[in-house]
Amino acid sequence: MNQSSFVSLLTDFGTKDYFVGAMKGALLSVNPQVQIIDITHEIPPHDIYAGAFQLLAAYRSFPAKTVHVAVVDPGVGSTRRPVLVASRDYFFVGPDNGLFSYVCEREEQVRVFHLTNEKYFRSTVSATFHGRDLFAPVAGAVSSGVAPEELGPEITDYIRLEPLAVRAVGAGQLEAAVIHVDRFGNCITSITRDDLTVEMLAKGARLVIRGREITSFRKFFAEDGTGASELFAVWGSAGFLEIAAFKASAARLLGIERGEPVLIISE
Amino acid sequence: MNQSSFVSLLTDFGTKDYFVGAMKGALLSVNPQVQIIDITHEIPPHDIYAGAFQLLAAYRSFPAKTVHVAVVDPGVGSTRRPVLVASRDYFFVGPDNGLFSYVCEREEQVRVFHLTNEKYFRSTVSATFHGRDLFAPVAGAVSSGVAPEELGPEITDYIRLEPLAVRAVGAGQLEAAVIHVDRFGNCITSITRDDLTVEMLAKGARLVIRGREITSFRKFFAEDGTGASELFAVWGSAGFLEIAAFKASAARLLGIERGEPVLIISE
Amino acid sequence: MNQSSFVSLLTDFGTKDYFVGAMKGALLSVNPQVQIIDITHEIPPHDIYAGAFQLLAAYRSFPAKTVHVAVVDPGVGSTRRPVLVASRDYFFVGPDNGLFSYVCEREEQVRVFHLTNEKYFRSTVSATFHGRDLFAPVAGAVSSGVAPEELGPEITDYIRLEPLAVRAVGAGQLEAAVIHVDRFGNCITSITRDDLTVEMLAKGARLVIRGREITSFRKFFAEDGTGASELFAVWGSAGFLEIAAFKASAARLLGIERGEPVLIISE
């Protein structure tokens, strides 16, 4: 048995409707012992990339064996498959549309199962609300210790998003992108410590975004915080380089949104 | 004894103030064993109809004996009565202003009690925050197994909203209304499968809303999803017919809000 | 041992990012037994005064020994100290920047500890997310019964905000301020029942705000609620005098924001 005490939820359902409450009720109807924790329900509607990033940033903070349920699901009711991802340390339940790509790249011993065993679904499954009728009950079952093999056949052709990565675009130039803008206006880029090393920084590597050069690299937001509108880079809590401004929105100062290209110039 | 493990909350308190946290603290002070689940706190301020609909859409997803606390309460402090609704399967706690109308229509063995026994209230009850001072402590008591009869006298003259229903407006014409617009812009109507039957659909029944004819009936959102802006109807997860558009807001496309009339034309 | 069953959270993290979920995961990783309750995550970014007020308004509704974690932390990563405040009845964990000022004024047997024992932090502490890496694990430890003295040295020079108070500005005139505007547009002032007594009211004391006289004092919002736009004063649920309007936003009617001065005229 492989029981879990915790189920996390990440959706694009928002919080003004009954959707999240109904999912939780359905989950507790199957496993009344589990504790449910919200990651966020404010993923922009149908934005699989945003969901995949937020899940990536949050999931490792949870206790081992947590069941992470993620539902950003524009294809609900169609032929897109419902899946369970089981890794060495965690479970993930949701639609097979790339939502779990980023975590699959990082987890070990990943196995993916197509959820076909209707015994673990709600007695009647609506065509529009699999969060309540399929994913929540299955998460209840998984957290109760039901084995993945019991839920459906293993598959290997699950959907993968293009990996978060930088690419060479010229001599000494790498192109990355802003992959998320957070509440504070910090711009999280796809750059990791492997892409922009201590050695590169020592030799004067710099960033260019929307025509602006970023040459200030800080340890934390408030360091040397004299000019509020000065842009700087800082290693963020999700493991990526962020472009920030002290007590101000870097996104607004730059006039940018997610997807904006960022150049690393290291020659 | 009739203990409950779960209490759900539905309010118009929003989430930017301390209101919901204070309610939960007050509830756990009475019954530390209970698990609290939010349905939503984003009911528009004082909008009893919206609260009644969201509660209707969510409550049956919860385990039996859940205590549903709903507070949309413009009359707080006045002579409006605080009530407990006890049905065969659930409990409901909140103000007597129609919030529980729609669930009362659907539940069996409904009994309503006027909450008068101050022993189960907070030691001092403010005139402006019965959520914290009256409804939360009473929900704590109910979930602990206190009998409804202990909380106050049974009443029968509780407030009822006009039922969600369609009405005949001409030969082969029924008038319904949009009763909710959800986060995705889907327009939930008051039309049920009893109002618009399989037979009527087979004979070519259609909808008219804001001068537009809806003749496309789908099983799920992504079905034949070629033209993103095409409007269609789909049976929604709350049991009502919804007017939707694939990956687009039907409400915005139609330029409508809750209350908009919808005609069923079946001749 | 001094175990706690409950941890409350109050932050300026918002709910669209993974921040709150990650904090909860980190907390449950240390103490899987604890139940976590949100007060709010919608404190305006970096607004320590708003955080201090909301915490003040909520904390006493929780069971004794609750660990209140509050993170509004523009100085994260800098030399500002992380602290534990232990009073007779509650614990508070967060940055030493004044967030706990208002509760410290009201609690008994207040002792403040500088959190220096890294044994109770996450194994690697980021410079930008102490909510997840320091405050959540410490709250897990405190709720598990770890003694305050174990976490770091006691300090007495912790940061204090200017107290919420009225001040004399002329014969029979006191000046207060609007300290919060809530979701409904009610304007919470810094005036308590000690500042505006029953005797003063009996003698005709009145308020002046933005050039408008308020002479109507009500027991609850719906009292004599005939003219929706009429402004009145009412004792609010947080213990302060509020300026309100029935089913309308007093803040919008007055055109004011937090910080607006309010005069009590009692001669």
Side-chain angles (χ1 to χ4, degrees):
Chain A
M1 282 274 279
N2 228 330
Q3 287 182 315
S4 311
S5 301
F6 304 105
V7 172
S8 88
L9 299 186
L10 178 149
T11 76
D12 65 349
F13 291 167
T15 51
K16 85 178 192 79
D17 292 294
Y18 66 93
F19 305 139
V20 174
M23 270 189 79
K24 292 182 180 177
L27 215 163
L28 294 167
S29 296
V30 174
N31 183 359
Q33 304 301 326
V34 89
Q35 190 169 340
I36 305 172
I37 301 106
D38 299 304
I39 295 179
T40 180
H41 300 290
E42 304 296 334
I43 301 296
H46 312 308
D47 189 337
I48 294 164
Y49 291 87
F53 168 76
Q54 296 280 3
L55 182 63
L56 172 65
Y59 84 102
R60 281 237 146 242
S61 298
F62 284 80
K65 298 301 164 197
T66 294
V67 181
H68 294 291
V69 180
V71 189
V72 180
D73 194 13
V76 62
S78 72
T79 56
R80 75 93 187 87
R81 297 173 295 191
V83 291
L84 167 71
V85 178
S87 74
R88 193 189 59 197
D89 296 341
Y90 295 100
F91 298 103
F92 304 87
V93 175
D96 176 33
N97 60 15
L99 253 188
F100 304 120
S101 280
Y102 302 157
V103 297
C104 283
E105 289 170 31
R106 280 154 187 83
E107 282 299 284
E108 294 185 39
Q109 300 169 27
V110 168
R111 298 175 68 197
V112 181
F113 298 85
H114 181 189
L115 300 169
T116 55
N117 190 343
E118 298 182 8
K119 175 180 150 190
Y120 296 102
F121 302 171
R122 195 186 187 219
S123 52
T124 54
V125 177
S126 73
T128 58
F129 195 5
H130 284 190
R132 178 192 65 190
D133 300 341
L134 196 161
F135 298 125
V138 165
V142 172
S143 62
S144 302
V146 171
E149 293 77 6
E150 173 73 9
L151 297 162
E154 189 169 350
I155 59 173
T156 55
D157 63 340
Y158 55 89
I159 307 286
R160 291 159 176 89
L161 304 180
E162 199 168 318
L164 296 175
V166 301
R167 61 190 185 98
V169 288
Q173 294 204 0
L174 295 168
E175 189 179 88
V178 171
I179 56 177
H180 180 63
V181 176
D182 75 15
R183 162 176 171 86
F184 299 95
N186 302 317
C187 302
I188 291 91
T189 75
S190 51
I191 302 166
T192 68
R193 288 175 205 262
D194 291 337
D195 305 318
L196 182 60
T197 61
V198 173
E199 292 72 31
M200 288 163 73
L201 285 169
K203 289 185 189 160
R206 60 195 195 280
L207 304 178
V208 177
I209 181 166
R210 189 54 73 101
R212 296 272 291 268
E213 280 213 348
I214 313 272
T215 53
S216 168
F217 289 80
R218 293 194 187 170
K219 288 223 175 67
F220 52 90
F221 296 124
E223 185 186 334
D224 305 324
T226 45
S229 64
E230 191 197 347
L231 293 162
F232 58 89
V234 60
W235 288 109
S237 56
F240 297 99
L241 194 70
E242 303 184 4
I243 297 169
F246 182 55
K247 285 196 176 183
S249 164
R252 202 172 301 134
L253 289 172
L254 286 163
I256 65 160
E257 295 182 347
R258 188 184 70 188
E260 181 75 19
V262 190
L263 282 182
I264 305 175
I265 301 182
S266 61
E267 102 296 4
Chain B
M1 282 274 281
N2 229 329
Q3 287 182 316
S4 312
S5 300
F6 305 105
V7 172
S8 87
L9 299 185
L10 178 150
T11 76
D12 65 350
F13 291 167
T15 51
K16 85 179 192 78
D17 292 294
Y18 66 92
F19 305 140
V20 174
M23 269 189 80
K24 292 182 180 176
L27 215 163
L28 294 167
S29 296
V30 173
N31 183 359
Q33 304 301 325
V34 89
Q35 191 168 341
I36 304 171
I37 301 105
D38 298 305
I39 296 178
T40 179
H41 300 291
E42 304 297 335
I43 301 297
H46 312 308
D47 188 338
I48 294 163
Y49 291 86
F53 169 75
Q54 296 280 5
L55 182 64
L56 172 65
Y59 84 102
R60 281 236 146 243
S61 298
F62 285 80
K65 297 302 162 198
T66 293
V67 181
H68 295 291
V69 180
V71 188
V72 180
D73 194 14
V76 60
S78 71
T79 55
R80 76 91 187 89
R81 297 173 296 191
V83 290
L84 167 71
V85 177
S87 75
R88 193 190 60 196
D89 297 341
Y90 294 100
F91 297 103
F92 304 88
V93 175
D96 176 33
N97 60 16
L99 253 187
F100 304 120
S101 279
Y102 302 157
V103 297
C104 283
E105 289 170 29
R106 281 154 187 84
E107 283 298 284
E108 295 185 39
Q109 300 168 27
V110 169
R111 298 174 69 196
V112 181
F113 298 85
H114 180 189
L115 301 169
T116 55
N117 190 344
E118 299 182 8
K119 175 179 151 190
Y120 295 102
F121 301 172
R122 196 186 187 220
S123 53
T124 54
V125 177
S126 73
T128 58
F129 195 5
H130 284 190
R132 177 190 65 189
D133 300 342
L134 196 160
F135 298 125
V138 165
V142 172
S143 61
S144 302
V146 171
E149 292 78 6
E150 173 75 9
L151 296 162
E154 190 168 351
I155 58 173
T156 55
D157 62 340
Y158 55 89
I159 306 287
R160 291 158 175 90
L161 304 181
E162 198 168 317
L164 296 175
V166 302
R167 61 194 184 97
V169 288
Q173 295 205 0
L174 295 168
E175 188 179 271
V178 171
I179 56 175
H180 180 63
V181 175
D182 75 15
R183 162 177 171 87
F184 300 95
N186 301 317
C187 303
I188 292 91
T189 75
S190 51
I191 303 167
T192 68
R193 288 176 204 262
D194 290 338
D195 305 318
L196 183 60
T197 62
V198 174
E199 292 72 29
M200 288 163 73
L201 285 168
K203 288 185 189 160
R206 60 197 196 277
L207 304 179
V208 176
I209 180 166
R210 189 53 74 102
R212 296 272 290 268
E213 279 212 348
I214 314 274
T215 55
S216 168
F217 289 80
R218 293 194 187 169
K219 288 223 175 66
F220 51 90
F221 295 125
E223 184 186 336
D224 306 324
T226 45
S229 64
E230 191 197 346
L231 293 163
F232 57 89
V234 59
W235 287 109
S237 56
F240 297 99
L241 194 70
E242 303 184 5
I243 297 170
F246 182 55
K247 285 196 177 182
S249 165
R252 202 172 302 134
L253 289 172
L254 286 164
I256 64 159
E257 296 182 344
R258 188 183 70 185
E260 181 75 19
V262 190
L263 282 182
I264 305 175
I265 301 182
S266 60
E267 103 291 8
Chain C
M1 284 273 280
N2 228 329
Q3 287 183 314
S4 312
S5 301
F6 304 105
V7 172
S8 87
L9 299 185
L10 178 150
T11 76
D12 65 350
F13 291 168
T15 52
K16 86 179 191 77
D17 293 294
Y18 66 93
F19 305 139
V20 174
M23 269 189 80
K24 292 181 180 177
L27 215 163
L28 294 166
S29 296
V30 174
N31 183 0
Q33 304 302 325
V34 89
Q35 191 168 341
I36 305 172
I37 301 106
D38 299 305
I39 296 179
T40 180
H41 300 289
E42 304 297 334
I43 301 296
H46 312 308
D47 188 337
I48 294 164
Y49 291 87
F53 169 74
Q54 296 280 4
L55 183 63
L56 172 65
Y59 84 102
R60 281 236 146 244
S61 297
F62 285 80
K65 297 302 163 197
T66 293
V67 181
H68 295 290
V69 180
V71 189
V72 180
D73 194 13
V76 61
S78 72
T79 55
R80 75 92 188 88
R81 297 173 294 193
V83 290
L84 166 71
V85 178
S87 74
R88 194 189 59 197
D89 296 340
Y90 295 100
F91 297 103
F92 304 87
V93 175
D96 177 32
N97 60 15
L99 253 187
F100 304 120
S101 280
Y102 303 157
V103 297
C104 283
E105 290 169 29
R106 281 154 186 83
E107 281 299 282
E108 293 185 41
Q109 301 168 28
V110 169
R111 297 175 68 197
V112 181
F113 298 86
H114 181 188
L115 300 169
T116 56
N117 190 343
E118 297 181 9
K119 175 178 151 192
Y120 296 102
F121 302 171
R122 197 185 186 220
S123 53
T124 53
V125 177
S126 73
T128 58
F129 195 5
H130 285 190
R132 177 191 65 189
D133 300 342
L134 196 160
F135 299 126
V138 165
V142 172
S143 63
S144 303
V146 171
E149 292 78 5
E150 174 73 10
L151 297 162
E154 189 168 351
I155 59 173
T156 54
D157 62 340
Y158 54 89
I159 307 286
R160 290 158 176 89
L161 304 180
E162 198 167 319
L164 296 174
V166 301
R167 62 192 184 96
V169 289
Q173 294 205 0
L174 295 168
E175 188 179 271
V178 171
I179 56 176
H180 180 63
V181 175
D182 76 15
R183 162 176 171 87
F184 299 96
N186 301 317
C187 302
I188 292 91
T189 75
S190 51
I191 302 167
T192 68
R193 288 177 205 260
D194 290 338
D195 305 317
L196 183 60
T197 61
V198 174
E199 291 73 30
M200 287 163 73
L201 285 168
K203 288 183 188 162
R206 60 196 195 279
L207 304 178
V208 177
I209 181 167
R210 188 54 72 103
R212 297 272 290 268
E213 280 213 346
I214 313 274
T215 53
S216 168
F217 290 80
R218 292 192 187 171
K219 287 225 177 66
F220 51 90
F221 296 124
E223 184 185 337
D224 305 325
T226 46
S229 64
E230 190 197 347
L231 293 162
F232 57 89
V234 60
W235 287 108
S237 56
F240 297 98
L241 193 70
E242 304 185 3
I243 297 169
F246 182 54
K247 284 196 178 182
S249 164
R252 201 172 303 135
L253 289 172
L254 286 163
I256 65 160
E257 296 181 347
R258 188 184 69 184
E260 180 75 20
V262 190
L263 282 182
I264 305 175
I265 300 181
S266 61
E267 105 290 11

